[in-house]
């Protein structure tokens, strides 16, 4: 359309509508900037007036459209000034306080209100307590439109950050339980806004108020403890991206952070006057003193993720926040012998990983756990502050243990125990944590371990429980032994109806446990090669294993066989049970080995008396070994060498002569 400007020194201006709130004017004749500004004010004033009237319309459709338009154009500060000058924001406050409109209209109202307040024309402190309570009720409601809840959370966040008086009002109206409930919903926008409001409350509050927020519902019950655990878990998981990101050697900022660690620890005033080669040599030497394993390229130590860049962040925080303690740590260890030196960088990287594991960073919150740490709510950047305390504890423990580089893992285990035991006592402040963890020195840890070991021995479960745990492992060992014995093979005798036992045959299992090979052999044969045994039976074709009187060759000679032969007889049937391979073992041991081995091949349980006897022996030996106190006793991976035989055996006692 066209906008006539008869009152100005120009003929006409064409007006073209673009996205909401933006307009393009095309002048047919040039005129001054002041004229343009006046045109905009006239237009925005007319628009503000129309929307102001539309919002008060009795027609809900007109009200909805007007509020939707308001939400769109309120981003323009000129319009916002015109609308607020007509007291339009008070009209929006009234709509919220009365709460009679539909969810859609209320969403447009809150959106427009947020856009108007963002310009800073109206102070948040001018809002009434009734309005604040109504916004808080949207947050506290169990059933509410998601868009309304998201906007209400954002409005409350702005209130909290604007003044202390509004912080107190919001703190009284919104409960911690409700905010943490919002953290558990699937709507990510609501989660984000709830976290933002919660962090605003905790950051604005002093130490006393922070504790009041956490314990606002009285004693911490199971449900409240779970909520606090979820808050702790969600907040700590914000560190996960750093923990999962390895250091990039090509990133200049990260390289600068590494070199800043070195510069804070050592004097580098004359470094600029050195040649490149000399400077590199000096840097490598200083990075080695800092405790980096790869001193020529220290970034390689931080490639492992976790802890990744989080370890660099904690080291940098310690060095900049507590420079005296950092310098003391590095210089003290630089003056020790190499083997007794506590490496700062290596220790820091491992300590960061231990803290990540203790706080379960990267794991989603559990639906049942409630083991929150009160210390978490005592201060901002609690993870980094705990690191600063624990890295100094590590140096102290290293000295108490008189550790060398070979003892690094043992020291880290003790430090982990010191941290977990102290956190288990639920300290409520960093100062309390620091006092407790430093009091829990290495000698105290040893005493506690000894006490717990004695208590454990007194309340040790009956050996039968340990036996049941060990049985599957030992049964598998016996199964393997049986199969190996079948692979080696055994010599059997044929017994004819004339009781002659002069014919021999040999049977053995193939190495892949799929075929039984057998065939006749001569008297003096020990272990014939598998290729010489012409007959074979696929294990897959074996149908059953028969023993004693059930064997076909025992049934044929019924009444003629004595008990000894019956006890050593066994057979396997194959194909459709029309054929069988009949055995008579030379001893009870061979009988047990073969029947057990064949049972394993058929997927059955072993049942021989030899198996039971061997299992009991193995269980007894294993239990005795498990119950031995082997702490600090190195167990070699390989068997010790057999000593050379003595030059003579004069030390042996001769029992051949009868003592007088």
């Amino acid at each position: 359309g066209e906008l006539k400007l008869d009152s100005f020194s120009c003929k006409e201006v064409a007006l073209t509508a673009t996205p909401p709130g933006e307009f393009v004017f095309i002048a047919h004749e040039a005129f001054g900037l002041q004229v343009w500004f006046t045109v905009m004010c006239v237009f925005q004033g007319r628009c503000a007036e129309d929307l102001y009237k539309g919002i008060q319309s009795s027609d809900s459709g007109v009200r909805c459209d007007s509020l939707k338009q308001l939400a769109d154009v309120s981003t323009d500060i000129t319009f916002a000034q015109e609308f607020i000058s007509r007291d339009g924001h008070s009209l929006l406050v009234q709509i919220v306080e009365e709460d009679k409109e539909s969810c859609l209209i209320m969403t447009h109202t809150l959106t427009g209100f947020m856009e108007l307040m963002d310009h800073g024309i109206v102070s948040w402190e001018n809002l009434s307590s009734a309005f604040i309570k109504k916004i808080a009720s949207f947050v506290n409601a169990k059933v509410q439109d998601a868009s309304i809840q998201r906007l209400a959370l954002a409005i409350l966040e702005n209130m909290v950050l604007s003044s202390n008086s509004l912080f107190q009002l919001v703190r009284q109206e919104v409960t911690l339980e409700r905010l943490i409930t919002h953290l558990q919903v699937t709507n990510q926008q609501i989660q984000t806004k709830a976290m933002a409001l919660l962090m605003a409350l905790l950051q604005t509050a002093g130490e006393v108020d922070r504790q009041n927020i956490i314990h606002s519902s009285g004693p911490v019950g199971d449900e409240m403890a779970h909520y606090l655990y979820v808050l702790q878990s969600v907040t700590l998981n914000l560190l996960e991206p750093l923990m999962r990101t390895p250091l990039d050697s090509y990133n200049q900022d990260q390289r600068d952070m590494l070199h800043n660690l070195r510069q804070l620890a050592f004097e580098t005033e004359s470094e600029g006057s050195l040649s490149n080669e000399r400077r590199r040599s000096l840097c490598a030497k200083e990075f080695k003193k800092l405790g980096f394993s790869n001193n020529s390229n220290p970034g390689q130590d931080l490639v492992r993720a976790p802890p990744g860049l989080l370890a660099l962040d904690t080291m940098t925080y310690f060095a900049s926040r507590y420079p005296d303690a950092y310098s003391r740590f590095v210089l003290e260890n630089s003056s020790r012998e190499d083997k007794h030196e506590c490496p700062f960088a290596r220790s820091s990287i491992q300590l960061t990983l231990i803290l990540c594991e203790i706080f379960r960073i990267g794991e989603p919150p559990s639906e049942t756990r409630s083991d929150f740490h009160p210390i978490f709510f005592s201060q901002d950047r609690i993870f980094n502050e705990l690191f600063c305390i624990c890295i100094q504890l590590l140096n102290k423990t290293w000295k108490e243990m008189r550790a060398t580089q070979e003892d690094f893992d043992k020291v880290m285990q003790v430090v982990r125990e010191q941290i977990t035991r102290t956190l288990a006592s639920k300290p409520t402040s960093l100062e309390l944590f620091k006092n407790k963890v430093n009091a829990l020195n290495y000698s105290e840890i040893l005493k506690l371990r000894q006490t717990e070991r004695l208590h454990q021995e007194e309340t040790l479960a009956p050996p039968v429980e340990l036996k049941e745990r060990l049985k599957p492992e030992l049964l598998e060992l016996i199964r393997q032994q049986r199969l190996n014995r079948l692979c080696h093979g055994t010599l059997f005798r044929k017994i004819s109806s004339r009781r002659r036992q002069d014919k021999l045959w040999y049977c053995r299992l193939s190495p892949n446990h799929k075929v039984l090979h057998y065939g006749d052999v001569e008297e003096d044969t020990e272990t014939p090669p598998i290729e010489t045994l012409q007959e074979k039976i696929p294990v897959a074709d074996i149908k059953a294993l028969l023993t004693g009187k059930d064997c076909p060759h025992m049934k044929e000679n019924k009444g003629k066989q004595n008990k000894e032969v019956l006890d050593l007889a066994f057979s396997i049937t194959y194909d459709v049970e029309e054929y069988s391979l009949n055995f008579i073992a030379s001893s009870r041991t061979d009988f047990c080995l073969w029947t057990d081995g064949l049972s394993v091949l058929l997927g059955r349980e072993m049942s021989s008396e030899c198996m039971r006897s061997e299992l009991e022996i193995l269980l007894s030996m294993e239990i005795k070994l498990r119950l031995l106190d082997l702490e600090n006793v190195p167990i070699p991976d390989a068997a010790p060498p057999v000593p050379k035989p003595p030059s003579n055996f004069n030390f042996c006692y001769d029992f051949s002569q009868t003592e007088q």
Side-chain angles (χ1 to χ4, degrees):
E2 290 184 351
L3 176 65
K4 301 296 183 181
L5 299 173
D6 297 334
S7 58
F8 298 101
S9 59
C10 63
K11 295 181 179 178
E12 60 184 11
V13 175
L15 172 65
T16 306
T18 57
E22 298 179 16
F23 301 91
V24 176
F25 291 89
I26 305 171
H28 284 238
E29 290 184 5
F31 50 88
L33 182 61
Q34 183 62 37
V35 175
W36 280 111
F37 181 73
T38 307
V39 170
M40 289 297 296
C41 290
V42 171
F43 177 77
Q44 296 287 25
R46 182 60 182 272
C47 182
E49 184 67 29
D50 290 343
L51 291 180
Y52 184 78
K53 291 178 179 178
I55 292 169
Q56 299 179 81
S57 172
S58 58
D59 188 333
S60 62
V62 174
R63 289 199 307 276
C64 185
D65 290 341
S66 299
L67 287 165
K68 184 177 185 300
Q69 259 192 322
L70 175 69
D72 292 335
V73 301
S74 291
T75 55
D76 185 87
I77 189 169
T78 307
F79 170 83
Q81 289 170 337
E82 291 291 337
F83 189 78
I84 291 171
S85 68
R86 290 166 172 76
D87 208 23
H89 64 288
S90 298
L91 189 58
L92 301 182
V93 169
Q94 183 182 347
I95 293 173
V96 173
E97 289 178 351
E98 291 177 355
D99 193 17
K100 296 178 180 178
E101 301 291 357
S102 66
C103 289
L104 183 59
I105 290 179
M106 186 60 70
T107 301
H108 293 325
T109 302
L110 293 175
T111 305
F113 177 81
M114 275 289 295
E115 295 294 346
L116 290 172
M117 296 299 290
D118 278 349
H119 296 296
I121 302 170
V122 179
S123 173
W124 288 93
E125 294 185 14
N126 293 337
L127 298 170
S128 65
S129 60
F131 176 80
I132 296 171
K133 289 181 180 180
K134 179 57 67 176
I135 296 294
S137 71
F138 293 153
V139 172
N140 292 330
K142 292 185 178 179
V143 180
Q144 184 61 269
D145 182 78
S147 297
I148 292 177
Q149 282 193 328
R150 174 177 56 80
L151 290 163
L153 287 164
I155 291 170
L156 292 179
E157 179 194 357
N158 280 280
M159 290 180 183
V160 168
L161 296 173
S162 64
S163 74
N164 187 61
S165 58
L166 287 177
F167 158 75
Q168 297 295 343
L169 283 171
V170 174
R171 197 197 77 183
Q172 292 171 9
E173 296 297 328
V174 181
T175 62
L176 179 63
E177 294 94 332
R178 192 63 194 142
L179 283 180
I180 298 179
T181 302
H182 286 310
L183 293 176
Q184 297 173 291
V185 300
T186 55
N187 189 315
Q188 192 171 4
Q189 290 182 323
I190 290 181
Q191 279 184 326
T192 303
K193 293 299 180 185
M195 177 59 75
L197 175 55
L198 192 50
M199 291 299 102
L201 284 167
L202 292 173
Q203 289 170 8
T204 306
E207 186 171 348
V208 176
D209 283 331
R210 190 180 284 122
Q211 293 296 328
N212 289 337
I213 291 170
I214 297 168
H215 302 291
S216 57
S217 301
V220 179
D222 292 341
E223 188 176 3
M224 181 62 176
H226 174 67
Y227 288 150
L228 292 170
Y229 156 75
V230 171
L231 171 60
Q232 171 188 289
S233 180
V234 170
T235 307
L236 284 170
N237 277 347
L238 296 175
L239 299 172
E240 184 180 4
L242 271 180
M243 183 187 76
R244 302 285 185 199
T245 306
L247 183 135
D248 181 4
S249 299
Y250 297 99
N251 186 302
Q252 186 61 45
D253 291 338
Q254 294 173 18
R255 296 211 317 262
D256 288 345
M257 289 174 71
L258 272 174
H259 282 283
N260 190 45
L261 279 175
R262 179 182 61 83
Q263 291 167 355
L264 288 171
F266 305 104
E267 293 291 337
T268 56
E269 294 178 1
S270 59
E271 186 177 320
S273 61
L274 300 176
S275 64
N276 289 337
E277 185 178 348
R278 177 61 181 154
R279 187 184 299 111
R280 282 196 297 269
S281 175
L282 177 64
C283 289
K285 183 179 179 182
E286 290 178 346
F287 276 125
K288 183 179 181 181
K289 288 182 179 179
L290 268 179
F292 284 94
S293 301
N294 193 330
N295 50 31
S296 59
N297 186 10
Q300 290 297 315
D301 288 25
L302 294 161
V303 168
R304 185 182 63 167
L309 287 178
L310 185 57
L312 180 59
D313 181 68
T314 52
M315 286 190 284
T316 303
Y317 183 87
F318 176 55
S320 56
R321 181 99 163 98
Y322 304 100
D324 292 340
Y326 171 65
S327 298
R328 188 165 53 250
F329 186 113
V330 176
L331 297 176
E332 179 184 331
N333 284 284
S334 298
S335 61
R336 294 180 187 167
E337 294 180 29
D338 287 348
K339 66 176 184 178
H340 288 288
E341 181 180 309
C342 178
F344 171 75
R346 184 185 176 192
S347 301
S348 297
I349 293 168
Q350 190 62 27
L351 177 61
T352 304
L353 181 61
I354 287 173
L355 289 173
C356 288
E357 292 171 352
I358 290 173
F359 288 113
R360 299 175 183 270
I361 296 175
E363 296 183 18
S366 167
E367 295 181 1
T368 56
R369 294 184 59 184
S370 58
D371 52 338
F372 75 97
H373 300 288
I375 192 175
F376 170 80
F377 305 96
S378 66
Q379 189 169 339
D380 299 333
R381 302 205 69 173
I382 188 65
F383 186 89
N384 293 58
E385 290 291 341
L386 282 174
F387 171 86
C388 294
I389 293 173
C390 294
I391 192 65
Q392 296 176 77
L393 167 74
L394 190 150
N395 188 42
K396 173 174 170 285
T397 304
W398 184 281
K399 289 186 288 186
E400 290 170 353
M401 294 178 67
R402 298 178 182 176
T404 64
Q405 296 291 337
E406 295 176 353
D407 301 320
F408 181 83
D409 291 336
K410 293 179 182 177
V411 175
M412 298 311 299
Q413 289 174 5
V414 173
V415 170
R416 178 193 285 269
E417 192 171 341
Q418 288 171 316
I419 297 170
T420 52
R421 286 181 183 275
T422 304
L423 287 175
S425 66
K426 302 293 183 183
T428 55
S429 68
L430 274 175
E431 191 63 30
L432 193 56
F433 173 84
K434 183 177 180 180
N435 293 336
K436 286 190 174 184
V437 80
N438 281 294
L440 194 61
N441 54 35
Y442 179 55
S443 60
E444 288 296 321
I445 290 290
L446 291 179
K447 289 177 185 177
L448 288 169
R449 285 179 176 178
Q450 182 66 21
T451 303
E452 289 171 359
R453 190 182 300 114
L454 292 173
H455 178 70
Q456 199 172 25
E457 289 174 359
E458 292 172 1
T459 59
L460 191 64
V464 66
E465 293 187 13
L466 184 56
K467 279 187 176 182
E468 292 303 318
R469 290 194 176 199
L470 295 174
K471 260 187 183 180
E473 181 183 345
L474 297 178
L475 280 171
E476 182 60 28
L477 182 65
I478 295 174
R479 289 190 195 99
Q480 291 302 320
Q481 188 272 337
R482 295 296 193 259
L483 292 175
N484 291 339
R485 187 66 182 81
L486 264 60
C487 289
H488 182 269
T490 304
L491 193 66
F492 296 95
R493 287 188 178 274
K494 291 183 178 180
I495 299 182
S496 64
S497 58
R498 298 181 180 180
R499 315 282 284 183
R500 296 181 61 189
Q501 301 183 13
D502 53 347
K503 291 186 178 181
L504 301 172
W505 65 289
Y506 201 88
C507 185
R508 65 186 297 181
L509 180 66
S510 64
N512 61 7
H513 302 167
K514 291 185 177 180
V515 181
L516 277 174
H517 295 265
Y518 65 97
D520 294 340
V521 294
E522 298 298 328
E523 179 74 32
D524 57 349
T525 304
E526 292 185 1
T527 306
I530 201 167
E531 297 82 8
T532 62
L533 304 175
Q534 301 299 321
E535 304 294 334
K536 60 182 179 180
I537 301 172
V539 171
D541 292 344
I542 299 176
K543 303 300 180 184
L545 170 66
L546 306 174
T547 59
K549 294 183 290 185
D550 296 329
C551 297
H553 58 309
M554 294 295 102
K555 289 179 180 179
E556 292 172 1
N557 300 295
K558 191 173 182 180
K560 299 180 181 179
Q561 304 294 350
N562 58 33
K563 187 176 184 305
E564 183 181 351
V565 174
L566 283 173
D567 288 343
L568 299 177
F570 62 96
S571 303
I572 54 173
T573 60
Y574 53 98
D575 287 334
V576 288
E577 300 191 5
E578 295 179 0
Y579 301 97
S580 63
L581 184 62
N582 304 314
F583 301 78
I584 295 180
S586 59
S587 65
R588 189 63 187 175
T589 300
D590 282 347
F591 174 85
C592 293
L593 290 173
W594 272 84
T595 53
D596 284 344
L598 291 169
S599 296
V600 172
L601 289 175
L602 296 174
R604 300 175 185 172
E605 295 293 331
M606 299 178 291
S607 58
S608 71
E609 63 269 21
C610 289
M611 182 277 296
R612 290 192 291 271
S613 173
E614 291 170 10
L615 181 61
E616 283 300 318
I617 293 171
L618 290 172
L619 279 171
S620 176
M621 292 174 60
E622 190 67 22
I623 287 172
K624 289 176 181 177
L625 286 172
R626 295 287 180 97
L627 295 180
L628 282 175
D629 185 4
L630 296 176
E631 186 177 357
N632 297 323
V633 177
I635 300 175
D637 295 328
V642 178
K644 294 181 179 179
S647 57
N648 61 67
F649 295 90
N650 295 338
F651 55 86
C652 295
Y653 184 82
D654 187 3
F655 285 95
S656 60
Q657 297 180 357
T658 305
E659 294 184 2
Q660 297 298 325

